[in-house]
Amino acid sequence: MRFFIVGLLLAAATLATSAATAGPEREVTPSVHPELQHLADRSGEPRMIQVSPRVHVAFAYDFANITFIEGDDGVIVIDAGWAKDAAAEAIAAFQKQVSKKPIVALVYSHGHADHVGGAAAFIEAAGPNLAVYAEKSWKEYQLERVGPSATHFVVRAVAQMGLLLPVGPEGRIPTGGGRMRATSLGFRYVPATHAIDGETELQIAGVRIVAIPMPSETSDQLLFWLPDEKVAFAGDIAAGALPILSTPRAERTRVPTGFIDGIERLMSLPLETLIAGHNPPVVGRAEALDALTQYRDAAQFIYDQTMRALNRNLSLEQAAQAVRLPPHLANHPLLQDHYHRLPWVVKGVYSRFGGWFQGDAATLNPLEPQEEAERMIELAGGADRILERAQSAFKEGDYPWSAQLAGYLIRTKTKLRKAVALKADALRAMAYASDSGNERNYMLTQALAMEGKLDTSRAMRAPKPLELMRMLNTRELFRLVGPNLDPKRCLEDDLTVGFDFTDLGEEHRYTVRRGVGHYRARSGPEPAVRVKLSRETFERILANRLSWSAALEQSKAVVSGPADRFDHFLSFFDGWSQN
């Protein structure tokens, strides 16, 4: 309904639509929702914001804040931003405007890419012996970046942040939390050298910093309290937007109740300034406590009412519709869902605690999507009738209905060209009318991909951090092989390949038998073919940094035995075939 109303209101001003027919007659003019434009303008130019004698926040240099704390004989930094170049600019600005003291410590608030991705700039500025601090579970969290579901996470994150979109009114725009400076899908991760176990008071360069572990945004989230400065750092549990208790990325380490506990812990401190992971700092005790109160109440309400919806046996969609913030929270400027939508957060929390079954037994054995589409088309009177109604809905500004109807045609490959064009236009129209930056990015990414104007497989091939690949044990490393296996290509095969790590003197075997992969160390069937390579080469292949073709051509991998058998083995896996 939101898009239907907005579509009608904005049709004359921002959406140039003509007769509802597929093709060039139906155009959608690029535009930006006024609220999003306001948020983008609010970010302004990159600037160094002083919040206490020692503490400066580098705001709008990157998507996330970089906080500099000037100590007696060195500088401590909280978070590194996402892009190395942006971090380097923030370092240069701090050294020019504030202090040239050496950087002696980098502290991660949590492991998200926008907070750790620029760390290489600090290594270059401070040297390889820079002390890097993180919560003790940092390794467990980071290894998810290279785990079996890592590709899923990257694909969703890339769409959410609009990393493949052109920059400007037709694509990605600033979200208000800072500027998106990342230009690469991969980044170098700098591992922590110091693990924080429990609430800990650090003494670095004469500065007291209390690190408070608080699983919430991630399992390795840290809050920070500077008692002598009366400055608290909230990370992403209070980030100038609706509390993100869940995301469409479905991160399993996110802890919804941790947001509530963390905010209450911050409220117990005699703070005068609140720094979040994004957006400008909140200066003044009354202002900071008011902001924290709003965040806490919103997080508590969303959690409680989602649990209530579960306990009332509401379905996922019913819960998403039922949970609505009270007016005093819904209208608060700090709690607008310009980032993630409230229904998305509710659905994520619901799924985390309620699972996929929503209580309706009919959903235990649903129709396949294509069969459902075929029956809906028949019920509507045929494909021509569905297309006509989809076109009319678009003309009327009812873009969600238009996209859904076009989706039935796409599933059945009926009227495909017109249906794809219509759904892409409907998504684009919704995106330009949306006041959520993430919603805009998701929709524009899909629209361009449907039209063949954007290669989303780039996200699937995104390079993974080698620093993390090296931390996997051998079994964990080979566990990354199976998710690439396409069983349809090998249902009649039984083939074992030996992988000999020449640098380690280790022998490993991987068998594909009738669509199933099986790793063994040395034992098992005798290999039909062997490949000799270093573990590092194998890591680079699994990290999407080296192809099998290049490894073989450069003699970084050498096949011993029938080469055609190894080629056949590679053909079982997504992206591995040399053909």
Side-chain angles (χ1 to χ4, degrees):
M1 179 61 72
R2 177 178 72 248
F3 285 118
F4 177 67
I5 295 172
V6 172
L8 290 177
L9 292 175
L10 297 182
T14 61
L15 299 175
T17 61
S18 60
T21 57
E25 299 87 355
R26 185 185 60 249
E27 298 179 359
V28 182
T29 301
S31 62
V32 180
H33 190 283
E35 284 292 329
L36 282 185
Q37 189 61 59
H38 171 71
L39 290 173
D41 294 341
R42 187 187 67 177
S43 294
E45 292 299 313
R47 54 197 183 276
M48 201 67 62
I49 303 174
Q50 182 172 6
V51 299
S52 79
R54 290 186 184 269
V55 181
H56 293 74
V57 178
F59 174 68
Y61 284 85
D62 204 342
F63 187 64
N65 292 330
I66 300 173
T67 300
F68 294 86
I69 306 168
E70 184 182 5
D72 296 340
D73 55 0
V75 175
I76 308 103
V77 181
I78 298 178
D79 284 346
W82 194 337
K84 177 184 173 184
D85 290 347
E89 290 176 16
I91 294 170
F94 178 80
Q95 292 177 338
K96 179 180 180 180
Q97 300 175 31
V98 183
S99 173
K100 295 186 182 298
K101 293 176 183 177
I103 297 172
V104 296
L106 171 64
V107 187
Y108 295 145
S109 69
H110 63 291
H112 278 163
D114 53 325
H115 296 261
V116 303
F122 293 92
I123 294 295
E124 290 187 2
N129 296 322
L130 176 67
V132 181
Y133 293 79
E135 200 276 334
K136 67 176 181 179
S137 65
W138 70 267
K139 182 177 178 180
E140 175 188 354
Y141 175 74
Q142 288 300 328
L143 289 183
E144 291 189 8
R145 296 186 185 280
V146 293
S149 63
T151 298
H152 157 82
F153 179 87
V154 171
V155 169
R156 292 287 177 88
V158 164
Q160 173 193 324
M161 304 308 297
L163 292 181
L164 298 178
L165 295 175
V167 177
E170 73 283 5
R172 174 159 51 91
I173 60 169
T175 62
R179 296 189 301 165
M180 175 58 70
R181 295 289 301 279
T183 58
S184 172
L185 301 183
F187 63 92
R188 177 187 171 192
Y189 180 74
V190 176
T193 59
H194 296 68
I196 294 174
D197 185 358
E199 187 163 321
T200 303
E201 180 172 312
L202 305 172
Q203 292 273 358
I204 306 174
V207 179
R208 291 196 298 155
I209 304 174
V210 180
I212 307 170
M214 188 59 63
S216 48
E217 175 81 358
T218 61
S219 58
D220 66 342
Q221 173 79 61
L222 287 171
L223 311 178
F224 300 105
W225 166 236
L226 279 65
D228 298 326
E229 304 295 309
K230 297 191 182 305
V231 173
F233 188 92
D236 279 3
I237 68 169
L242 187 78
I244 311 171
L245 307 188
S246 182
T247 78
R249 300 193 306 270
E251 298 163 291
R252 69 177 183 86
T253 59
R254 192 172 290 250
V255 182
T257 52
F259 285 76
I260 303 166
D261 295 342
I263 294 170
E264 291 181 346
R265 179 71 177 91
L266 292 174
M267 293 175 72
S268 72
L269 301 171
L271 76 169
E272 297 289 346
T273 299
L274 177 69
I275 301 173
H278 305 265
N279 296 290
V282 180
V283 179
R285 177 166 176 77
E287 291 81 358
L289 286 178
D290 177 68
L292 288 170
T293 299
Q294 307 310 317
Y295 293 134
R296 195 218 78 89
D297 288 357
Q300 186 77 64
F301 183 90
I302 294 169
Y303 175 79
D304 287 347
Q305 294 308 309
T306 303
M307 294 300 102
R308 179 169 177 262
L310 269 174
N311 293 334
R312 293 169 61 204
N313 203 34
L314 298 187
S315 71
L316 181 71
E317 294 297 337
Q318 287 172 329
Q321 292 299 315
V323 179
R324 289 289 183 268
L325 292 176
H328 74 284
L329 295 176
N331 296 326
H332 198 284
L334 289 177
L335 301 177
Q336 300 307 297
D337 54 359
H338 297 313
Y339 197 64
H340 288 305
R341 293 291 193 193
L342 174 58
W344 303 353
V345 176
V346 173
K347 288 180 180 181
V349 175
Y350 180 108
S351 300
R352 178 183 180 89
F353 294 99
W356 63 268
F357 178 50
Q358 302 176 38
D360 182 358
T363 63
L364 294 173
N365 188 25
L367 294 174
E368 291 292 329
Q370 182 172 339
E371 183 178 355
E372 178 189 351
E374 290 170 350
R375 294 192 184 191
M376 292 297 291
I377 291 172
E378 179 183 5
L379 184 65
D384 288 333
R385 179 59 177 160
I386 284 277
L387 180 61
E388 178 185 339
R389 288 302 304 136
Q391 292 169 337
S392 297
F394 185 95
K395 186 175 182 180
E396 294 163 5
D398 192 355
Y399 306 123
W401 185 230
S402 178
Q404 185 170 335
L405 291 175
Y408 290 136
L409 298 173
I410 293 171
R411 286 181 196 170
T412 60
K413 296 181 172 56
T414 309
K415 307 286 184 182
L416 189 58
R417 182 184 64 82
K418 292 184 178 181
V420 167
L422 181 59
K423 183 172 181 178
D425 282 345
L427 290 172
R428 190 175 287 108
M430 286 189 281
Y432 292 147
S434 175
D435 63 352
S436 163
N438 288 342
E439 186 171 61
R440 175 187 175 98
N441 291 337
Y442 278 127
M443 290 181 171
L444 290 179
T445 297
Q446 184 174 341
L448 289 172
M450 291 175 65
E451 295 171 327
K453 299 176 181 177
L454 187 151
D455 180 11
T456 54
S457 68
R458 287 174 53 198
M460 299 180 69
R461 302 190 304 268
K464 299 178 176 65
L466 287 173
E467 297 82 6
L468 299 177
M469 300 293 290
R470 297 184 188 118
M471 296 180 189
L472 297 173
N473 63 42
T474 304
R475 180 169 290 278
E476 291 170 331
L477 191 67
F478 274 92
R479 191 160 281 151
L480 304 182
V481 174
N484 294 313
L485 180 64
D486 183 349
K488 295 179 180 178
R489 305 178 197 169
C490 50
L491 287 176
E492 303 301 323
D493 287 276
D494 188 345
L495 179 58
T496 298
V497 171
F499 291 85
D500 298 341
F501 290 164
T502 54
D503 54 334
L504 302 177
E506 297 177 353
E507 298 179 10
H508 304 278
R509 298 177 184 182
Y510 198 92
T511 298
V512 174
R513 184 178 61 254
R514 303 190 67 182
V516 181
H518 189 181
Y519 161 74
R520 300 179 183 86
R522 292 194 176 187
S523 64
E526 186 65 23
V529 61
R530 290 183 176 275
V531 56
K532 298 181 182 297
L533 72 172
S534 66
R535 172 175 162 130
E536 180 186 6
T537 295
F538 195 48
E539 290 170 351
R540 292 181 65 83
I541 290 170
L542 292 172
N544 296 327
R545 295 177 180 271
L546 180 69
S547 67
W548 275 111
S549 297
L552 293 166
E553 182 179 334
Q554 298 168 20
S555 298
K556 292 182 177 180
V558 178
V559 175
S560 175
D564 62 330
R565 299 303 293 156
F566 186 62
D567 288 342
H568 186 54
F569 177 81
L570 293 182
S571 72
F572 301 158
F573 298 89
D574 297 329
W576 276 16
S577 177
Q578 299 184 73
N579 298 328

